[in-house]
Amino acid sequence: PTPAINNSISYGNSGKMNPGHLHIDKQQQSKDSVFFRDGVRRIDFVLSYVDEKDGERKQERRRIYEDNLVNVGLELETESKSESEDGKTYFVKIHAPWEVLSTYASVLNLKVPFKVDDTLDEKTEMPMSWLATPFRLPKDIMHPEPDYFTAPFNKDKPDFFLINDKDTFFPPSTRNRIVYYILSRCSYTGEECADKDKKGIKRLLNNSTYTAAFPLHDSRYWTRSKDANCESERYTLYKYWAKFLCFFKEQPLDLVRNYYGEKIGIYFAWLGFYTEMLLFAAVVGTICFLYGFLTFDDNEWSKEICNEKIGGNIVMCPLCDKKCSFWKLNTTCNSSWQSHLFDNVATVFFAIFMGIWVTLFLEFWKRRQARLEYEWDLFDFEEEQQQLQLRPEYEAKCTKHEKNPITQEMEPRLPLTSKCVRTCLSGATVLLWISLIIACIIGVIAYRLAVYAAFASIMKQSPTNHLEVVGPYITPQLATSVTASCINFVIIMILNLMYEKVAIWITDMEIPKTHLEYENKLTVKMFLFQFVNYYSSCFYVAFFKGKFVGYPGDYAYMFGKWSKLRNEECDPGGCLIELTTQLVIVMTGKQVWGNIQEALVPWMMNWWGSRKARNHPESLYSRWEQDHDLQGFGQLGLFDEYLEMVIQFGFITLFVASFPLAPLLALINNIIEIRVDAWKLTTQFRRPVAAKAHSIGAWEEILNGMAVLSVVTNAFIVAFTSDMIPRLVYMYAYQPDGELNMKGYINNSLSVFNISEIPLENRPEEEENPSWFNSSITTCRYRDYRYPPGHEKQYSHTMQFWHILAAKLAFVIIMEHVVFLVKYFVAWLIPDVPSDVRARIKRERYLVQKELHDYEVEKLKIQLSHQNHQECTCTPGIYPYLSKHEVLPEF
């Protein structure tokens, strides 16, 4: 093509601007090109800005910043606004030459190949592996590159490493990571300015000096690049990974890691492994649910409740003051049958199984993570992260330096008083926000107490019975539970909008030292907020509702009798079915809303943002303009994904005894989640800056903590929320006929109260009582174990109550000890690092020592051969006579 001149500006190594730089005309250049106009230098990063007439300060910042970038060796090329599709945006393209890449690769201790891995031939194929063929991807997709032994790069020893082509030796993900490292530390003030705080691309983005900073995708996602030098890895990822029709296929994790970096690769590896493990929990949970469904006919207590001669003759005391009437037990017939689906013997088995499953999941993930750490050269990454990845914000705020006792080098330090004040202030803010969440939950509980009376008054004549399908199942309890759960879910979603900003503000105020420390602090705060937000309502239903009610003559009130908000009671069938309802609404609602929001919002914003560009010819819509119109992945893009999955993990572990189908719902959601996350990352977002991470970070400790807590919560749910223990105590100790059955259980579990002793303020109004109620009915029943009227200990707890309480506490202690014993035994039995991985790590360290020594020996031989004509004829040392140096491995 014929070179053409236009008004783009190119910066060279000299640091001087060269107006009128010769380059290929825009319409003749491939729209998918990721190279400068010369077609040789690769674009590693792009900055964009809008030139404003009154923005002299911003122009000065940009000028100084770009000059400083050139001074450290980067090459820049600017696209004028007249060439952009909107006519007002400038694009600064950045290229890092070999000298810059090699220098910073040494600084960052990046590992690069020096020898082909010779242990792969030792792998044996698993038996029956052909069964997995439908789930496999092509080998060149799963393993796009051969495996190598790697060592930290040293620019002074380039011939030690396998450098075939300097332009392609560092992959694009490594190149953009190095460039971003430079951008984050480059100042935008002159040397005469003493304000160290004014540096880094992050601050320039915050003050709108630049509008965006991003690395480029290598092609359009739906087709390969026309430029043969472009890898088109984005298209490959979309074809084999991001399409929903690939939901049953394995993930090309190596390709994900090569394109997006190890941090994103680790997330998808963890999410895929978590989804695989959910399959086992989902199968067992479904079997437990089917057991409850198939044993309907053995549900003796539900038969008694529904029996007209038993449940139809039992008059129950009012469930609220004034507006609630006396009612018959058989009105809860449907809910008692529903409760049996989840409240049966299989519940105990499933709670114990999930306690062990959690341990197996975490232990096997550690092994999988250890294998990835080795394969992705991350097994000694933590030291690099701690020592070399200081946050620019931390360095800028430090006013003093202290000697590091390990490295013996001077490092920046925050003043102790400033650090203490900031930490205390952030702690107080966290407590304030948690108090706000708890206040919202208390408000929802107050709603439940207040609205129940209204529903009871409205439904006293069964106005919902005309609804053909759901009418008979709608009760005041169900209506209250469902509406309160929906309101709680809306409050959760509203508060979520504020949590992220508050957590970031608090963490920024603490000024963490490293990126790893920053992420860990932010993780803890966000999880603490979300834990209280999502789980508090479930904790209320599971452990507080129906536990502090009192009895008809002495009811307990939430804020005292003056509030008239009487504490809620459980149905005669128990509170477990209500906990199930709460769990299903919040968990399912969050997952459905989350997936819709993740997929729909970025797509709509991109569609709206690129509406003008869609009318332009394809050849005018360049690669950097296409990516500029996409959504930015953001600092917390991956953080939100982890948080979403960890909250789901809490639902399927902390309260799984109340809903065995929770793992099945989570499995279905995660199958969709993997592809939704892959789709939006590949098609709707700019390419994130590649980042390294050797693990899932603080989330691993959070998962371990939730695993321990889940054993306790499920033990208490089985003991105190379900009716499993009272039924067993009745069957083995209080069955009047001495038989091992549940006949008479309902009558035994309900206490008697004299209606005439109900205080006037608690009695229902005359017009509220049903037509069948008359003065001949002198007693009512309520759910408790108390002596009847006329007894010398009337209305005090019976001995059976204390027997049941003792049995509940004994069950909790036994179940916890059994599950914890198995958990810790399994954790001890399964090593965190597979033996073959440990051996390969040792072999790689051995080879690094050996190859480096041999390299130095050969280099020394060459040097000495050039000194033969010098005056010194003495023996230069023993090394030149060593053909091979043997380094003993550290086994």
Side-chain angles (χ1 to χ4, degrees), residues 29 54 62 166 196 232 292 311 340 495 499 566-567 616 705 745 775 826 853 879 886:
Q29 186 185 30
D54 56 347
R62 283 194 295 267
K166 289 184 177 181
K196 299 189 300 178
S232 297
H340 177 70
L495 290 177
Y499 290 155
R566 204 172 96 187
N567 289 349
H616 292 180
Y745 169 73
S775 59
V826 169
H853 179 271
Y879 288 107
E886 190 171 327

Side-chain angles (χ1 to χ4, degrees), residues 670-741:
N670 286 9
I671 291 173
I672 300 172
E673 179 76 22
I674 290 175
R675 304 304 160 178
V676 168
D677 287 350
W679 174 81
K680 71 177 185 181
L681 192 63
T682 307
T683 67
Q684 304 302 309
F685 285 93
R686 297 170 188 155
R687 186 174 182 172
V689 178
K692 283 202 171 189
H694 74 291
S695 67
I696 61 175
W699 297 112
E700 189 168 340
E701 293 303 320
I702 289 174
L703 292 174
N704 282 319
M706 294 178 73
V708 173
L709 181 61
S710 68
V711 177
V712 180
T713 56
N714 283 301
F716 272 89
I717 286 173
V718 173
F720 289 91
T721 308
S722 79
D723 275 358
M724 181 65 59
I725 303 301
R727 291 169 191 157
L728 293 176
V729 170
Y730 171 79
M731 184 170 66
Y732 286 102
Y734 288 91
Q735 217 284 342
D737 300 329
E739 300 176 359
L740 295 180
N741 59 47

Side-chain angles (χ1 to χ4, degrees), residues 530-694:
Q530 300 287 29
F531 183 92
V532 179
N533 195 21
Y534 278 103
Y535 302 142
S536 53
S537 59
C538 292
F539 272 101
Y540 164 74
V541 175
F543 306 121
F544 295 96
K545 183 181 176 182
K547 307 299 186 296
F548 310 100
V549 177
Y551 59 94
D554 186 20
Y555 283 119
Y557 292 80
M558 186 176 182
F559 301 112
K561 286 190 176 182
W562 61 270
S563 66
K564 298 183 180 180
L565 296 176
R566 204 172 96 187
N567 289 349
E568 288 183 281
E569 297 182 43
C570 292
D571 282 338
C575 273
L576 195 69
I577 188 64
E578 188 169 339
L579 177 58
T580 303
T581 304
Q582 179 80 21
L583 185 65
V584 169
I585 290 176
V586 177
M587 176 183 172
T588 308
K590 180 188 182 301
Q591 293 183 163
V592 172
W593 174 252
N595 280 325
I596 293 175
Q597 190 178 31
E598 287 181 16
L600 193 60
V601 172
W603 179 82
M604 292 188 66
M605 294 181 70
N606 287 334
W607 177 84
W608 180 257
S610 61
R611 64 191 185 282
K612 293 181 179 179
R614 287 194 296 272
N615 298 323
H616 292 180
E618 265 195 2
S619 59
L620 293 179
Y621 199 25
S622 62
R623 162 62 35 218
W624 45 90
E625 290 172 313
Q626 294 176 50
D627 286 7
H628 180 264
D629 288 340
L630 298 177
Q631 298 300 302
F633 191 62
Q635 180 185 6
L636 297 179
L638 201 59
F639 178 88
D640 292 334
E641 304 298 339
Y642 271 120
L643 183 62
E644 179 184 2
M645 288 296 102
V646 171
I647 293 297
Q648 181 205 82
F649 181 83
F651 280 124
I652 69 164
T653 54
L654 296 177
F655 309 102
V656 74
S658 67
F659 188 46
L661 293 180
L664 178 62
L665 295 181
L667 174 64
I668 296 172
N669 173 81
N670 286 9
I671 291 173
I672 300 172
E673 179 76 22
I674 290 175
R675 304 304 160 178
V676 168
D677 287 350
W679 174 81
K680 71 177 185 181
L681 192 63
T682 307
T683 67
Q684 304 302 309
F685 285 93
R686 297 170 188 155
R687 186 174 182 172
V689 178
K692 283 202 171 189
H694 74 291

Side-chain angles (χ1 to χ4, degrees), residues 36 51 60 121-122 139 176 282 354 357 416 456 461 498 510 526 568 607 622 653 694 759 762 764 770 872:
F36 275 15
D51 194 12
E60 180 66 13
D121 296 335
E122 301 173 6
K139 197 169 184 179
N176 71 57
M354 287 302 292
W357 174 87
L416 182 60
Q461 300 299 333
M498 298 183 287
E510 294 178 3
M526 279 293 289
E568 288 183 281
W607 177 84
S622 62
T653 54
H694 74 291
N762 299 135
C872 180

